[in-house]
Structure formats: C-alpha cells, structure tokens
Amino acid sequence: MNPSKYDALKRIRDELLAFSHSPLYEYRTANGYLPVVGEGSHDATIMFVGEAPGQNEAKTGRPFCGAAGTFLTELIEGIGLKREQVYITNIVKDRPPENRDPTPEEIALYSPFLDRQVKIIKPRVIATLGRHSMGYVMRRYDLDLELEPISRIHGKSFETTFIDENNEPQPLTVVALYHPASALYNGGMRGTHKQDFEILKKFV
Ligand code: URA
C-alpha cells in the first residue's frame, strides 16, 4: 500500500463524513447511512465510475455491493481481472432518496472529490457506468465534442489527458459503458455489457 495515496484518500473519507452542507447529509445521518468513497486498488489501471450509492451501498459504505454490483463483478472477472485489482467509485458519494438520479447540483457538489481521486490513483482508463457518469467525465476531461447519447457511444473509447499533481498531462482513455443495473431490468442487455467490456481487455 502506498502511504501517501492512502493518506490522501483517507482525507477524502474524513471530509465526506463531515460534509454537513450537502443536501444529502441529513438523509444519510437520519438513516444511519455511510458515505461511499470508493474501494479497490490504489494503483489501479482501470477506474470504474458509477452514479450514486443505492441502499445496500449506503448501509455498508461499499460501492456496487447490491445486485448491480454482483453483475459488475462478473463483468470485471469476465475480462480476467479481480474486483480488487480495479478501483470502483461514484460521482455522488451519498445516497439520493428513493434511488432518484443525482441532481446537477449534487453532481457539482460531489464531483471535486472524484477529480481528486483521479489525481491520487492516476488510472490509465476511466470506465463510466451510465449516462450521468459519462456526461460528467467526458465534459471534465475535454471530450465535450465527442459526447453523444449513450446508445451511440457505449463500448467506445476516447483518448484524452488529465493533469497530475505536478501539473503534467497524463494520458487517459475514457470508455463509456451502460450502467450494470440496466441488465437487471432487461436481461437481453447482458450480452451487450459483455461485448462492451471487451474493449477494456487491452488494458488488463
Ligand atoms: N449504482 C451506482 O451507480 N453506484 C453504486 O455504488 C451502486 C449502484
């Protein structure tokens, strides 16, 4: 474990625990929920970014630990990786009530934590899960002009850079993926997910 990465990620956890000006803070504390910072390898090549925690995640403090998470783990293992070898997080770190989509204000409030996680972990690839994550990540990393509906660009990769802590640009590939929960409502989507994940194999 890299101590400086560990400390920087722990700082994010501590800030999130005390994030009382978030509109989601009261809902978190009233329900005994936890913020979901992220988990996995601090040296991961691939970072998966979902939208926001659901109930299982908010109860345990772990990302993607419900039914969508079980399918995500299967997809990761399908490309020859263990879940512990990647890093998994969300844009919004607290559960929105009733699993509603995160609002633009919530995304604006929480996304600086994700930006910091990218600088700390320095992934080679960010794989976005769902259209909210795709929209945020592609705009944030100067891929606005490539943005299209997810039905057109799922399974595609885009080359860009992120600025590291020394102000140096580092190569970054963004891969747009459907949210794994979509296969829970529509079993026919499982094959599409598996096919889309193939693009990640070259980074394994
Ligand atoms: N859906 C998400 O977007 N993130 C999670 O952590 C769980 C479900």
Side-chain angles (χ1 to χ4, degrees), residues 111-129:
S111 55
F113 294 105
L114 174 66
D115 299 348
R116 282 163 62 190
Q117 286 172 304
V118 171
K119 284 194 187 226
I120 297 164
I121 293 166
K122 305 182 181 70
R124 179 64 188 79
V125 182
I126 299 180
T128 60
L129 301 170

Side-chain angles (χ1 to χ4, degrees), residues 36 49-54 57 62-66 68-69 88-90 129 179-181:
V36 179
V49 179
E51 298 182 345
E57 289 77 19
R62 297 185 52 223
F64 283 96
C65 64
I88 305 176
T89 189
N90 290 296
L129 301 170
H179 195 286

Side-chain angles (χ1 to χ4, degrees), residues 13 35-40 48-50 52-54 56-58 60-66 68-70 72-73 83 87-90 92-93 117 129:
R13 168 175 297 281
V36 179
V37 183
E39 72 176 13
F48 288 92
V49 179
N56 290 307
E57 289 77 19
T60 58
R62 297 185 52 223
F64 283 96
C65 64
T70 303
L72 176 62
T73 306
R83 185 174 155 122
Y87 192 82
I88 305 176
T89 189
N90 290 296
V92 171
K93 314 296 194 194
Q117 286 172 304
L129 301 170

Side-chain angles (χ1 to χ4, degrees), residues 33-156:
Y33 291 153
L34 292 164
V36 179
V37 183
E39 72 176 13
S41 167
H42 296 175
D43 297 313
T45 303
I46 306 177
M47 177 186 272
F48 288 92
V49 179
E51 298 182 345
Q55 191 179 32
N56 290 307
E57 289 77 19
K59 277 187 177 162
T60 58
R62 297 185 52 223
F64 283 96
C65 64
T70 303
F71 184 47
L72 176 62
T73 306
E74 189 183 319
L75 290 165
I76 291 168
E77 290 174 352
I79 54 165
L81 285 174
K82 295 201 177 82
R83 185 174 155 122
E84 307 79 71
Q85 291 177 287
V86 303
Y87 192 82
I88 305 176
T89 189
N90 290 296
I91 313 178
V92 171
K93 314 296 194 194
D94 280 305
R95 180 186 181 212
E98 314 306 330
N99 294 339
R100 63 159 170 73
D101 285 348
T103 63
E105 292 72 25
E106 288 160 0
I107 290 177
L109 189 64
Y110 283 88
S111 55
F113 294 105
L114 174 66
D115 299 348
R116 282 163 62 190
Q117 286 172 304
V118 171
K119 284 194 187 226
I120 297 164
I121 293 166
K122 305 182 181 70
R124 179 64 188 79
V125 182
I126 299 180
T128 60
L129 301 170
R131 64 194 166 88
H132 294 288
S133 169
M134 175 188 82
Y136 174 74
V137 170
M138 288 187 67
R139 287 190 188 93
R140 173 67 183 77
Y141 296 102
D142 305 321
L143 292 167
D144 323 45
L145 294 178
E146 314 275 0
L147 251 181
E148 287 190 67
I150 194 164
S151 56
R152 291 181 64 98
I153 59 172
H154 68 94
K156 294 204 169 130

